[in-house]
Amino acid sequence: VSSGYYSTGGTSSTTRTGQSQCGGNQYYCSGGVRYNVSSGYYSTGGTSTTRTGQSQCTGATYCSGGVQNSCPSGYDDNLDAGKTTNTQCQISVAGGRYIGTRYSSTVSSCNKGYYKASHTVSYGNTSSCSACLGRDKYTDTTGSTSCKNVLAGYYTTGCKAGNMACTGQSKCTGATYCSRGVQNSCPTIYTDDTTAGKTAANQCQVRTDGGYYIAAAQDDEQTQCTTKHYCPSALVSYGSTNSPTACPDPETHSVTAAELPDKFYDATI
């Protein structure tokens, strides 16, 4: 039997009467016998109708119908042998990038507020960037591979609905405090400490008027000083209290003018 042909006719392998070309690329002939090309292989030798052997697809190629094909341009990063379809060809995409269009090798950068780790994309598929979730995460540059954590005393900015995809951060200023990326106003009357970067409500403070004090934690009104006590102006943190101080007894305690408080009682009244 000629190379690339198989024997025909007769009733058994010992009584063949003729030969035929092996056929298309999906076949190869050896020793007068025709074989189907194995999956992931391509036929070799002879012509497209007289193949004599087969070889496995390797590198950036895939085999279909006994024919070896190159992977699409750019999709040459899956070097596993024996690929059978172009969808097994892959492109490696760097972190902060994505493939937005099917069958394309064009790579785009993630927008601010989004991120993407390095990954591979199979031909015919796409990838996308993920939004930073929560007010305590953000990215302020394009092409980010991960989200940043908001700094203590800062709040995130440029966020989309649902507290996601934040694009920056700013420091809390004035009578505000920041917790987990959210800016909050200090409680009523506790607005006298305007130090920037406060992180909790208990860092908000009220300066009491002379003759007044904060009687209970989280009070939003000042209480007038009680009889025979004095209350100098003081800074009180939210959640804390201060107390009136008893005036000295003029019959048992001698004081100079410098020791007198700014609010005191007259024992003769």
Side-chain angles (χ1 to χ4, degrees):
V1 175
S2 301
S3 177
Y5 285 68
Y6 65 98
S7 57
T8 61
T11 58
S12 70
S13 60
T14 59
T15 59
R16 298 301 184 196
T17 59
Q19 65 177 4
S20 293
Q21 291 185 344
C22 206
N25 286 312
Q26 67 270 35
Y27 305 108
Y28 71 95
C29 290
S30 178
V33 179
R34 186 171 74 167
Y35 299 94
N36 291 316
V37 174
S38 302
S39 177
Y41 284 68
Y42 62 98
S43 56
T44 61
T47 67
S48 61
T49 59
T50 59
R51 297 302 188 195
T52 58
Q54 65 172 0
S55 293
Q56 190 175 36
C57 268
T58 58
T61 67
Y62 66 96
C63 289
S64 176
V67 177
Q68 184 183 44
N69 306 276
S70 295
C71 284
S73 177
Y75 287 80
D76 52 7
D77 291 312
N78 178 11
L79 302 181
D80 292 343
K83 292 186 288 293
T84 59
T85 173
N86 60 10
T87 59
Q88 293 173 322
C89 299
Q90 295 180 326
I91 184 173
S92 294
V93 183
R97 309 288 190 268
Y98 69 99
I99 298 288
T101 303
R102 296 180 66 193
Y103 309 115
S104 172
S105 60
T106 300
V107 176
S108 302
S109 295
C110 296
N111 292 328
K112 293 179 181 180
Y114 292 79
Y115 71 99
K116 186 72 173 179
S118 60
H119 60 288
T120 58
V121 177
S122 297
Y123 186 67
N125 290 341
T126 61
S127 62
S128 60
C129 301
S130 300
C132 294
L133 300 179
R135 289 295 303 273
D136 56 347
K137 305 285 186 183
Y138 74 99
T139 61
D140 55 357
T141 58
T142 60
S144 295
T145 59
S146 62
C147 299
K148 296 179 180 179
N149 294 316
V150 67
L151 296 175
Y154 284 69
Y155 62 97
T156 47
T157 59
C159 306
K160 290 187 176 181
N163 293 326
M164 57 182 285
C166 301
T167 60
Q169 65 172 358
S170 292
K171 196 170 189 179
C172 269
T173 58
T176 66
Y177 67 95
C178 289
S179 176
R180 295 186 61 82
V182 178
Q183 183 181 43
N184 307 276
S185 296
C186 284
T188 303
I189 79 170
Y190 292 84
T191 58
D192 292 315
D193 181 359
T194 57
T195 302
K198 292 186 286 294
T199 59
N202 61 15
Q203 293 174 335
C204 299
Q205 294 182 317
V206 57
R207 180 170 293 281
T208 58
D209 298 328
Y212 288 82
Y213 69 104
I214 300 297
Q218 302 178 5
D219 262 0
D220 59 4
E221 292 183 355
Q222 301 183 43
T223 300
Q224 190 170 18
C225 214
T226 53
T227 304
K228 297 184 179 181
H229 291 75
Y230 67 96
C231 300
S233 176
L235 277 174
V236 181
S237 298
Y238 182 70
S240 298
T241 63
N242 63 336
S243 303
T245 301
C247 292
D249 186 343
E251 295 182 0
T252 61
H253 183 75
S254 176
V255 296
T256 66
E259 294 179 290
L260 291 175
D262 58 352
K263 298 287 183 179
F264 67 97
Y265 78 99
D266 186 344
T268 63
I269 296 178

